[in-house]
Amino acid sequence: DTAVSQTPKYLVTQMGNDKSIKCEQNLGHDTMYWYKQDSKKFLKIMFSYNNKELIINETVPNRFSPKSPDKAHLNLHINSLELGDSAVYFCASSQGTGEVGYTFGSGTRLTVV
Amino acid sequence: GDSVTQMEGPVTLSEEAFLTINCTYTATGYPSLFWYVQYPGEGLQLLLKATKADDKGSNKGFEATYRKETTSFHLEKGSVQVSDSAVYFCALSAGGFKTIFGAGTRLFVKA
């Protein structure tokens, strides 16, 4: 059983479209995250949710809207996609504040053309 | 703010060579420190961690010691294999539901 699963794995779309990425974890963790990894492998946190409550929103454009229907799911919706949104998006989960480490999903490679 | 600095790559080694990847950090308080590994096309995997000063994290032959006096957490392995080729990330968590990652160091191991 996959611990943190993201779908889709690849997403190619045109500028201006709206798309969603889904994430689910079966570890019983209470905190979930979205990270963006750019082409140079740099990882930057976008959002973190604890028990479905938004805790961190790191200067991400309003076009990005996370939704956590329950503790096991954290989805990311992106409106009006831009070329600069092309990246790999990772979902992760942890227990509590993350001081014992994260479990990552395998990533969603988003390409905006 | 909190930050992590790790040595730039790529690092290229021959099989069975000794590996060191340097990592230093800046943080208020007493963060937990981590090394994650990312194999091509995959997500990050937690490799090892240390939660307090002088702790040594170890896994799969890799080791790192939490050095508060030098604010460092260098990754070492005595004999690397081709299968160790990956990107390695040093990271810290000081609570607050956020982990800060270094820029990553790519390791190539030649047979």
Side-chain angles (χ1 to χ4, degrees), chain A residues 35 37 41 56 99-100 102, chain B residues 32 36 38 49 96-97 99:
Chain A
Y35 275 79
Q37 186 175 48
K41 298 292 188 184
I56 288 179
E99 290 185 64
V100 293
Y102 290 179
Chain B
S32 294
Y36 285 84
Q38 184 179 27
K49 66 185 178 201
F97 300 97
T99 293

Side-chain angles (χ1 to χ4, degrees), chain B residues 74-85:
Chain B
H74 305 321
L75 182 69
E76 297 181 336
K77 187 176 186 185
S79 176
V80 293
Q81 305 300 312
V82 171
S83 57
D84 293 326
S85 298

Side-chain angles (χ1 to χ4, degrees), chain A residues 52 67-75:
Chain A
K52 304 193 299 176
K67 279 196 172 53
S68 181
D70 56 55
K71 284 197 314 183
H73 295 84
L74 179 62
N75 304 323

Side-chain angles (χ1 to χ4, degrees), chain A residues 9 27 40 54 76-77 80 85 88:
Chain A
K9 190 168 175 64
L27 297 166
K40 295 186 177 176
L54 178 65
L76 183 65
H77 188 75
S80 304
D85 297 331
V88 181

